[in-house]
Amino acid sequence: MADVLKKVPVREQDPKVRAANFNEVCLGYNKEEAVEEAQRCIGCKNAKCVQGCPVSINIPGFIAQVKEGKIEEAYQVISEASALPAICGRVCPQESQCEGKCIRGIKGEPVSIGKLERFVADWARENGIKPPAPAQKNGHKVAVIGSGPSGLTCAGDLAKLGYDVTIFEALHKAGGVLVYGIPEFRLPKDEVVEKEVENVKSLGVKIETNVVIGKSTTVDALMEEEGFEAVFIGSGAGLPMFMGIPGENANGVFSANEYLTRNNLMKAFRDDYDTPIAKGKKVAVVGGGNVAMDAARTALRLGAEVHIVYRRSEAELPARVEEVHHAKEEGIIFDLLTNPKEILVDDNGWVKGMRCIRMELGEPDASGRRRPIEIPGSEFELELDTVIMALGTSPNPLISSTTIGLDTNKRKCIIADEETGKTSKEGVYAGGDAVTGAATVILAMGAGKAAAKGIHEFLSQKEK
C-alpha cells in the first residue's frame, strides 16, 4: 500500500544529462501513476483548492474522474474552465495556489494537482480529444490584442459563448510569453504550446500574426472602422528593466527578455537555425525570479558557467522552489546577498567582469521582504563575459499611447477593473501583465477569463 501522506514521485531527466540538452526536464505521470496519485484526494465538499485556482477549475471533479480511470471525462471537466491545461500543469505555481490550499497537505504532502492536470491534458492531446464545441455564432465581433495566456483564455471563453473572435499578435508566432519567454525544457513549444493554440483555434478563433497594434492599426480603428464591438488588450509586459549602473550598455549585456526570445522563439539553441546569441563562457544572471532561473538554465545548456546574482537570501527568492531546486541540481552557482555595482568593460567595449558588494538583510520593506543593506568594504569582482539582467518587465506604452481615452498609471500599466477587466474607454477591456506588470501565466489567464465575462455582460446589455 502506498503512503497516502506522500506524493507519487514524478520521473525527471537526470540533472547531468538534462544540463546539456533542451528536452523537457519533468517527464510527468503515466496513467497508473496518475490514478494512484488521484486516490490521495479526499474529495472535499468545500474544496479550498478550487478557491486557490485563478480560473476556478473543478479540481475535485476532474480528479474524481482520474480515480476511475476516466481520463477523457476528466479533460472535459478541466476544459469547462481552462483553455490551456497542458501549459498550466507545467508552469503554474501550484504550491502557492491550488496545492497550497489542499487539505491533504495539512498532515502530509498536498495532492499533485498540477501534475495530474498535465497528465490529463497530455493524454487528451495524444488521443486526439478536443474541447467541447462552441455555441452557435451570436453575430458579435470581438478583437483580442495579444495571443499570450490572457488573450488565448479571453478569446477561448468568448468563442464558447458564440462570439466571432479575432486575435491580433505582434510576433510571427502565436503564444506570447509561452513561446518567447519560457524555455523548451520547461514548456515544449511544438508538442504543447502549438497544440493548445490549435485547440483555441478549433473553437473558431482567428489569429492574425505580425500585426502591431499602435502601428499596423489602432484600437480606435478596430472599433470604428472594422466593426469590432469590444476589444480586449492582453499585450503583456515586454519592456525590460535595467539597473542604471555603469557599464550596462557594454557588448555582452542582455535583458533576459531578449536572451530568452532569441533562444526560445528564434531557436538559437538549434544548429539548424541561424540566430545569433552570445553563448558566453562565464555568465551572470542578475535577479531571482522564474525568468532569472530560465535565463540561467538556458545559458548553462549553451555551455557556460552560470552565476545567479541576487541581493537577498534564498528565503526571499521569488522563483518557484521547484525551479530553484532544478537550477541547483544542474550546477548553477548562487551568489546570494550580492548586488552589482558596476559592469566592467574591456578596451573593445565588451564585458570583462562585474564589481559587486555583499549585502545583509534589515527591516522589511513595502513588499514585506527584508530590505537588503550594503556591507561597507565588502566589494569584490566577478570575472565574466556575459551579463543577463532579469529584473522584471513593464508594459510597452505603444497601445495605451495610441488609444484615445485609455487611462494608465505611472508605470504605464493600463488601469482596469479587477473583476471585469473594464477600462476607462467604453468597450475596451484589459488584463494580464498589461494591467498588473509582469506576473504569472495563470493570473493572466484568470484576468482573461474575468474580461470575457465582462465583455459578454457589456454586449448582452447593448442588445436590450
Side-chain angles (χ1 to χ4, degrees):
M1 179 73 180
D3 184 352
V4 295
L5 296 181
K6 289 194 175 294
K7 294 179 177 183
V8 174
V10 181
R11 290 162 290 118
E12 294 178 344
Q13 273 200 79
D14 179 89
K16 287 182 180 156
V17 175
R18 71 182 191 237
N21 69 52
F22 279 83
N23 300 331
E24 193 168 12
V25 168
C26 178
L27 304 176
Y29 285 144
N30 60 30
K31 186 174 179 180
E32 184 182 11
E33 291 163 339
V35 171
E36 184 182 340
E37 178 62 21
Q39 303 289 346
R40 298 183 60 239
C41 175
I42 55 179
C44 306
K45 289 282 187 286
N46 179 26
K48 295 194 180 300
C49 56
V50 179
Q51 296 169 27
C53 174
V55 295
S56 303
I57 291 171
N58 178 359
I59 294 167
F62 98 76
I63 292 180
Q65 298 292 352
V66 176
K67 280 184 188 180
E68 301 293 323
K70 297 176 179 176
I71 312 306
E72 182 174 351
E73 290 84 347
Y75 177 70
Q76 301 302 350
V77 172
I78 295 172
S79 293
E80 289 169 12
S82 174
L84 310 170
I87 291 166
C88 291
R90 286 167 165 83
V91 302
C92 269
Q94 289 99 4
E95 65 278 3
S96 62
Q97 293 177 164
C98 53
E99 293 180 20
K101 300 268 196 304
C102 177
I103 298 298
R104 172 61 80 191
I106 294 173
K107 287 190 174 175
E109 293 180 347
V111 175
S112 258
I113 298 166
K115 298 294 189 289
L116 289 175
E117 180 183 20
R118 169 190 163 149
F119 164 73
V120 170
D122 286 355
W123 184 94
R125 183 182 69 250
E126 289 157 11
N127 287 276
I129 308 301
K130 294 288 183 186
Q136 200 169 359
K137 292 282 187 204
N138 60 22
H140 293 289
K141 277 178 70 177
V142 179
V144 170
I145 300 171
S147 64
S150 65
L152 289 170
T153 299
C154 184
D157 278 16
L158 287 169
K160 287 176 191 173
L161 292 167
Y163 288 91
D164 182 355
V165 186
T166 302
I167 297 176
F168 296 95
E169 168 56 48
L171 295 173
H172 65 278
K173 200 170 182 66
V177 71
L178 305 171
V179 292
Y180 74 73
I182 303 175
E184 193 82 16
F185 54 80
R186 277 218 294 141
L187 184 61
K189 306 296 168 255
D190 294 344
E191 312 96 275
V192 177
V193 178
E194 204 166 295
K195 296 296 190 294
E196 299 269 71
V197 171
E198 288 299 321
N199 280 346
V200 173
K201 287 168 74 174
S202 75
L203 298 170
V205 173
K206 297 182 282 292
I207 302 180
E208 292 190 21
T209 55
N210 298 309
V211 180
V212 180
I213 303 298
K215 284 194 172 179
S216 308
T217 185
T218 63
V219 170
D220 296 308
L222 290 174
M223 300 182 82
E224 293 164 16
E225 298 168 21
E226 298 194 39
F228 289 100
E229 298 166 78
V231 174
F232 172 72
I233 302 171
S235 49
L239 200 62
M241 298 178 185
F242 288 87
M243 292 184 73
I245 59 175
E248 237 173 3
N249 293 325
N251 296 320
V253 179
F254 295 86
S255 69
N257 230 33
E258 179 188 355
Y259 191 81
L260 289 169
T261 298
R262 284 175 181 267
N263 199 74
N264 301 335
L265 178 67
M266 301 165 71
K267 312 288 187 190
F269 69 93
R270 283 174 49 171
D271 293 336
D272 55 336
Y273 276 73
D274 187 20
T275 303
I277 191 167
K279 293 186 177 182
K281 292 181 179 174
K282 201 163 183 184
V283 176
V285 178
V286 181
N290 288 328
V291 174
M293 299 304 142
D294 286 345
R297 295 172 70 198
T298 295
L300 180 86
R301 283 160 170 77
L302 292 172
E305 173 188 305
V306 185
H307 295 247
I308 290 272
V309 177
Y310 180 63
R311 62 185 186 151
R312 289 183 167 95
S313 72
E314 184 167 348
E316 287 80 26
L317 279 167
R320 292 183 68 189
V321 171
E322 181 179 281
E323 299 308 314
V324 175
H325 171 68
H326 282 157
K328 284 184 170 179
E329 278 189 329
E330 290 164 9
I332 305 288
I333 300 159
F334 282 73
D335 291 316
L336 302 173
L337 290 167
T338 300
N339 204 39
K341 297 286 283 182
E342 178 185 3
I343 294 168
L344 307 173
V345 185
D346 68 18
D347 293 339
N348 296 314
W350 287 86
V351 171
K352 67 174 183 178
M354 190 159 65
R355 186 165 59 85
C356 302
I357 190 165
R358 302 286 184 199
M359 312 291 282
E360 60 185 355
L361 296 179
E363 295 301 311
D365 62 14
S367 71
R369 294 179 299 173
R370 292 170 65 195
R371 186 187 303 278
I373 301 165
E374 293 183 356
I375 300 173
S378 66
E379 292 189 9
F380 69 100
E381 289 184 7
L382 271 176
E383 186 184 325
L384 305 165
D385 58 19
T386 307
V387 175
I388 301 168
M389 293 291 182
L391 304 167
T393 53
S394 61
N396 189 320
L398 182 62
I399 292 174
S400 56
S401 66
T402 57
T403 305
I404 297 167
L406 189 63
D407 291 346
T408 59
N409 62 22
K410 62 183 180 183
R411 295 188 299 139
K412 301 297 182 190
C413 294
I414 297 167
I415 297 169
D417 182 81
E418 198 175 316
E419 299 295 318
T420 64
K422 192 175 187 299
T423 70
S424 56
K425 186 177 178 73
E426 186 178 25
V428 177
Y429 293 71
D433 293 3
V435 170
T436 60
T440 62
V441 166
I442 190 64
L443 288 175
M445 289 177 63
K449 184 169 273 297
K453 189 178 173 196
I455 290 168
H456 179 53
E457 287 170 359
F458 166 68
L459 293 178
S460 298
Q461 284 169 0
K462 273 182 74 175
E463 283 186 336
K464 292 176 183 175

